[in-house]
Amino acid sequence: CKQAGFDGIELHAAHGMYLNQIIETSERQDGYGGSFEGRVRVLAELVREIKELCGESFIVAVRFGNPDYEELVQTAITIEQAGGDLLDVSTGMGGYGNIPPQFHFDSKIYAASLVKDKVSIPVIGVGNIQTGEQAEKVLEYKYADMVAIGRGHLCDPAWANKALHGEQPILCRKCKTCMWYIDGRKCPVHQGGAL
């Protein structure tokens, strides 16, 4: 990636991907499983080795999640200590548990806020942000340093420009199973149809 001209990479340790599975479930007995320290070891080693091979200026971000809030925060701290530059908080193999009733955002934003309280590197929050106003509130409340908008951009590729200009983007209808992922032509927003 560096030789191709990229400024950095993002390791995917969320959504049940391989690194996420190791961090949450590895029972190996060789130092890469069992205890939390063993399970997170491979991720820390990857971050350190990438920084060693590509240099300190090469950005290493990690997208990660863990339904155990304590392990989530410890993963963030481990990534930061290994030299990671950016934390992209999402979900792990399962959803998150309860969030305080006064918290008016998605559980992934809550998870990002827990991480942000414990690290000094930038944190990205993601999760059901529909409007520019919601994105601004996440930043204003210091739940994250940046926000990521996924489905909003799938429904309206001009989402960011509209949000920047105070315009209402076409809103995702939050299909239980995202129809865009099945076939973008089946997304109700693009068909103009109802659910």
Side-chain angles (χ1 to χ4, degrees):
C1 289
K2 182 177 181 180
Q3 290 174 352
F6 288 92
D7 295 321
I9 53 96
E10 182 172 68
L11 297 173
H12 200 332
H15 310 153
M17 299 295 183
Y18 181 67
L19 289 173
N20 181 220
Q21 290 178 33
I22 292 171
I23 293 167
E24 288 190 42
T25 66
S26 178
E27 296 178 358
R28 292 173 57 148
Q29 300 298 311
D30 61 357
Y32 289 93
S35 69
F36 172 77
E37 291 74 19
R39 290 181 279 124
V40 78
R41 179 179 173 187
V42 71
L43 181 59
E45 289 180 358
L46 281 169
V47 171
R48 279 194 295 273
E49 188 169 334
I50 291 167
K51 292 301 256 187
E52 287 172 16
L53 292 171
C54 297
E56 283 302 310
S57 64
F58 191 73
I59 299 165
V60 178
V62 180
R63 183 166 226 197
F64 68 106
N66 191 321
D68 181 316
Y69 287 133
E70 185 175 322
E71 286 193 1
L72 176 85
V73 170
Q74 283 306 120
T75 301
I77 292 168
T78 300
I79 295 165
E80 181 176 40
Q81 290 173 344
D85 300 295
L86 183 63
L87 300 168
D88 185 353
V89 181
S90 191
T91 56
M93 293 173 59
Y96 288 108
N98 295 330
I99 60 174
Q102 69 275 17
F103 196 85
H104 297 292
F105 292 96
D106 185 282
S107 60
K108 292 182 286 296
I109 299 293
Y110 180 69
S113 75
L114 297 176
V115 167
K116 181 157 172 43
D117 283 344
K118 300 295 182 186
V119 298
S120 60
I121 60 177
V123 174
I124 299 173
V126 64
N128 291 313
I129 298 170
Q130 294 263 353
T131 66
E133 293 81 15
Q134 289 173 324
E136 284 292 330
K137 289 290 184 195
V138 169
L139 301 176
E140 180 184 318
Y141 296 154
K142 300 189 184 322
Y143 295 148
D145 299 295
M146 294 174 256
V147 293
I149 311 297
R151 290 188 184 188
H153 279 106
L154 297 177
C155 291
D156 189 345
W159 192 98
N161 283 331
K162 287 181 178 179
L164 285 171
H165 292 97
E167 299 172 27
Q168 180 66 40
I170 298 169
L171 299 179
C172 172
R173 295 190 184 174
K174 299 182 183 181
C175 302
K176 185 173 175 100
T177 300
C178 179
M179 299 306 290
W180 192 93
Y181 286 112
I182 294 169
D183 179 343
R185 297 168 295 185
K186 294 182 178 179
C187 177
V189 169
H190 296 289
Q191 293 178 349
L195 296 179

